[in-house]
Amino acid sequence: MNNKGQLLIESLVAITVIVISILGIFTLVSRSLSLNRVVNDQYVGTYLAAEGIEVIKNIVDTNVLTHCEPWNQGVNTAGEYQVNYDTQLFGSQTLTQTNGPAQLNFDGTMYSHYSGGQPTKFYRSVTLDPITANHLKVVSLVQWETRGNANFETVLEDHFYNWRPTGINCQ
């Protein structure tokens, strides 16, 4: 029986199996990290779209509760707008009409359309569509591009109604 070289062949097979296993693990980890970035971007995009709708909701509520204005004042003109977390009708930060989504900047704590901060890959617009005098449709769109030129977008829609009872006494 001739066993010369058997140890060498067994060692090569074992090393090959180990290398293939390690490469498989590295591929799995790399793919996992890449998908983690995609999921993180989807969370950010969804929250930015929700923030766009929330800003309009705050304007409607402020009109009614604080300023005793018509419920849809300032949001009753159809079009696409830039909104920021502090957008309001009464003060310095008002709605800005735009032609399509505008790039958001990140200042370390907040995303906004204000200059300053780092430009991000996220673009947002909020579309106002007054359906009737008592019904407003709001669509918030956030778009972004990831590595590999994959394009993503999140679209959220909400409807607001004139909930203030008629004949309310504003003072």
Side-chain angles (χ1 to χ4, degrees):
M1 190 159 186
N2 191 358
N3 289 337
K4 289 183 180 180
Q6 183 177 352
L7 181 61
L8 181 61
I9 292 172
E10 288 176 355
S11 298
L12 286 175
V13 169
I15 290 172
T16 301
V17 169
I18 290 171
V19 167
I20 289 173
S21 299
I22 290 174
L23 289 176
I25 290 170
F26 282 143
T27 302
L28 180 65
V29 168
S30 173
R31 182 76 173 146
S32 175
L33 291 174
S34 176
L35 289 175
N36 190 31
R37 282 188 211 107
V38 170
V39 169
N40 184 56
D41 288 347
Q42 288 174 336
Y43 274 121
V44 172
T46 300
Y47 289 130
L48 288 172
E51 179 186 59
I53 289 178
E54 186 71 19
V55 167
I56 300 303
K57 178 194 158 300
N58 288 342
I59 290 172
V60 169
D61 288 348
T62 300
N63 282 345
V64 173
L65 298 174
T66 305
H67 298 289
C68 210
E69 299 289 340
W71 76 278
N72 61 350
Q73 179 176 327
V75 294
N76 57 357
T77 303
E80 273 187 282
Y81 295 89
Q82 287 181 12
V83 298
N84 294 304
Y85 60 91
D86 60 349
T87 297
Q88 53 190 330
L89 293 179
F90 305 95
S92 60
Q93 309 304 332
T94 58
L95 289 170
T96 305
Q97 200 151 15
T98 183
N99 294 324
Q103 187 173 26
L104 290 162
N105 298 315
F106 186 66
D107 67 3
T109 56
M110 302 296 276
Y111 288 86
S112 70
H113 293 288
Y114 303 135
S115 59
Q118 293 294 323
T120 67
K121 58 184 154 188
F122 296 100
Y123 291 76
R124 177 174 64 196
S125 69
V126 174
T127 303
L128 302 178
D129 183 12
I131 306 294
T132 67
N134 292 312
H135 180 194
L136 174 67
K137 175 179 152 184
V138 180
V139 177
S140 183
L141 168 69
V142 176
Q143 298 174 324
W144 68 96
E145 185 177 301
T146 61
R147 227 171 52 184
N149 298 328
N151 293 312
F152 290 90
E153 70 178 22
T154 297
V155 180
L156 297 180
E157 179 178 314
D158 206 347
H159 294 258
F160 298 103
Y161 298 91
N162 183 8
W163 55 267
R164 182 169 52 183
T166 55
I168 191 170
N169 189 11
C170 293
Q171 297 173 355

